[in-house]
Amino acid sequence: MDRLTNTIRPYAWGSTTAIPALIGAEPTGEPQAEMWMGAHPGAPSRLDRAAGGTTLSAVIAADPEGELGAAAVAKFGPALPFLLKILAAGAPLSLQVHPDLAQARAGFEDEERRGVPMDAGHRNYKDANHKPELICALTPFDGLCGFRPPREAADLLEGLGVDSLKPYVDLLRAHPEEAALREVLTAVLTADREEMARTVTETAAAAERLGGPYAPYAGLVHDYPGDPGVIAAMLLNHVRLQPGEAMFLGAGIPHAYLDGLGVELMANSDNVLRCGLTPKHVDVPELLKVVVFEPSAPGVLRPEGGAEEVYETPIDEFRLSRFVLAPGGAPHTLPDAAPQILLCTAGAPTAGELTLAPGESVFVPAGEKVELSGSGTVFRATLVL
């Protein structure tokens, strides 16, 4: 078992205070958006197995079966199939979707064949993997997830009283659901930018004046003035997670995180296609291939089980569970068939011989037995064999 040293990514939307407050550090004044725990090549965790330290990705590459177990390598290949993060949103993230596995492989191969540089701003596919993900709230957490029913979206837009939204309202009411959502999202993302900027300004002013169901959307224009994603966001369901609640996001489901601190677990990928609320590249034709144009109610997940509370998802690459350890409680021996990362978010629990503080994590290779004890909260990220 190894204590991990993890990279904090300074994305512009990150909170300046949430991660420092969790780990007991002084804020730097700069945004601290995500702490990555895993072996993703973009920011692999470090550990102290060798002189001068090494990366978790290098350790796994040197002995995949020894670190991950033969069963995991046979099922997922010689790499850790998940990436664990602490995510701290101080401003809205981009409105985005993720490809399924076939789309990711095809898109990655196409861009490789065309010689698109990996660091190019217009590159869509950074790897050949899909990116289902789960976000579990540590604080009240606001997000957008999945399309509203078109008629509900039409009522919301119409209630703003903005004349330039009327064509979208009419489209949402005039077509079958899939066609309506496809036509309106396409129209919003391809509209004349100057005209759209005026529409966004009027929409934001109306949303701020009306409040209520419009409140989650009113502030978007302050971070992204003129961005068509402000209108696209109103096609989606607003979700507020309470601490301990989670939300699963599968392929093709449009979503955005707005505000809050959470634990995020995903397949080991960085493939994102953006719809808006971003200064980054938006590839509308490619996006429209990936989006699932169906209304979907955002399912709020609550942990199930006894001492180990599990967040059930349909994905084998990752499995998230939580231990809330009470003082004086019995220790818990963890299953050892698969590799796992343990993350402390509260208290001072003990994993084996290591005591963890909030924000600290450890990597446990397959086959190594670990006992959790003490008091605090520990999230366990592993996979399903």
Side-chain angles (χ1 to χ4, degrees):
M1 181 169 58
D2 300 274
R3 193 186 298 271
L4 298 177
T5 300
N6 304 304
T7 297
I8 296 177
R9 311 303 294 263
Y11 304 137
W13 49 262
S15 167
T16 59
T17 58
I19 289 179
L22 177 71
I23 65 178
E26 285 294 320
T28 64
E30 299 298 317
Q32 297 187 37
E34 295 180 347
M35 179 188 289
W36 287 25
M37 291 156 279
H40 190 282
S45 299
R46 297 192 64 81
L47 37 81
D48 292 330
R49 286 202 200 174
T54 185
T55 64
L56 181 56
S57 53
V59 166
I60 292 172
D63 185 9
E65 290 197 1
E67 300 296 331
L68 307 178
V73 172
K75 186 169 184 177
F76 302 109
L80 189 68
F82 61 81
L83 175 63
L84 181 65
K85 299 180 181 179
I86 295 174
L87 183 146
L93 281 71
S94 60
L95 186 60
Q96 60 188 255
V97 295
H98 306 305
D100 64 25
L101 192 54
Q103 291 165 337
R105 286 173 175 167
F108 181 78
E109 290 171 4
D110 174 64
E111 291 186 328
E112 288 288 278
R113 185 173 57 251
R114 291 190 286 116
V116 180
M118 190 62 69
D119 59 354
H122 64 284
R123 175 133 190 169
N124 292 315
Y125 297 94
K126 301 297 179 66
D127 51 67
N129 201 12
H130 63 166
K131 194 185 179 227
E133 61 190 39
L134 177 75
I135 183 76
C136 178
L138 295 177
T139 66
F141 193 97
D142 284 295
L144 305 173
C145 178
F147 285 113
R148 299 172 179 271
R151 289 189 175 276
E152 184 181 315
D155 291 343
L156 189 73
L157 292 179
E158 186 175 47
L160 289 162
V162 175
D163 288 344
S164 53
L165 293 176
K166 189 175 186 305
Y168 306 137
V169 172
D170 293 342
L171 283 171
L172 288 167
R173 289 185 172 149
H175 293 282
E177 289 187 335
E178 180 180 343
L181 293 170
R182 180 182 291 275
E183 287 193 36
V184 171
L185 184 64
T186 303
V188 167
L189 297 181
T190 58
D192 178 84
R193 293 306 292 246
E194 288 188 10
E195 292 181 8
M196 177 54 66
R198 288 192 291 271
T199 297
V200 169
T201 300
E202 292 179 37
T203 296
E208 193 161 359
R209 182 179 68 253
L210 294 168
Y214 298 102
Y217 308 95
L220 297 179
V221 74
H222 299 301
D223 295 294
Y224 302 104
D227 193 311
V230 174
I231 308 301
M234 300 187 74
L235 304 176
L236 308 187
N237 302 289
H238 172 248
V239 187
R240 166 160 273 210
L241 301 176
Q242 295 303 319
E245 294 181 335
M247 181 169 60
F248 174 74
L249 300 156
I253 304 300
H255 62 278
Y257 301 145
L258 303 180
D259 183 71
L261 180 70
V263 173
E264 188 179 32
L265 183 58
M266 62 189 65
N268 193 32
S269 172
D270 200 23
N271 283 327
V272 176
L273 290 156
R274 297 173 179 85
C275 311
L277 306 183
T278 179
K280 296 182 179 179
H281 177 62
V282 176
D283 185 333
V284 175
E286 190 67 25
L287 173 79
L288 297 176
K289 296 178 189 176
V290 171
V291 174
V292 175
F293 288 99
E294 295 176 1
S296 58
V300 175
L301 301 175
R302 296 174 179 85
E304 301 176 1
E308 183 179 16
E309 303 173 309
V310 179
Y311 295 90
E312 296 289 353
T313 70
I315 296 298
D316 286 352
E317 284 97 328
F318 61 74
R319 175 182 181 271
L320 185 69
S321 59
R322 183 182 69 167
F323 290 85
V324 180
L325 306 169
H332 304 283
T333 301
L334 304 184
D336 64 350
Q340 52 197 312
I341 292 177
L342 307 177
L343 166 66
C344 172
T345 59
T350 299
E353 297 180 354
L354 299 178
T355 299
L356 304 179
E360 291 188 334
S361 57
V362 295
F363 171 73
V364 184
E368 182 171 334
K369 288 198 176 296
V370 176
E371 193 174 83
L372 282 181
S373 59
S375 67
T377 301
V378 175
F379 283 87
R380 176 176 180 249
T382 186
L383 48 84
V384 179
L385 295 175

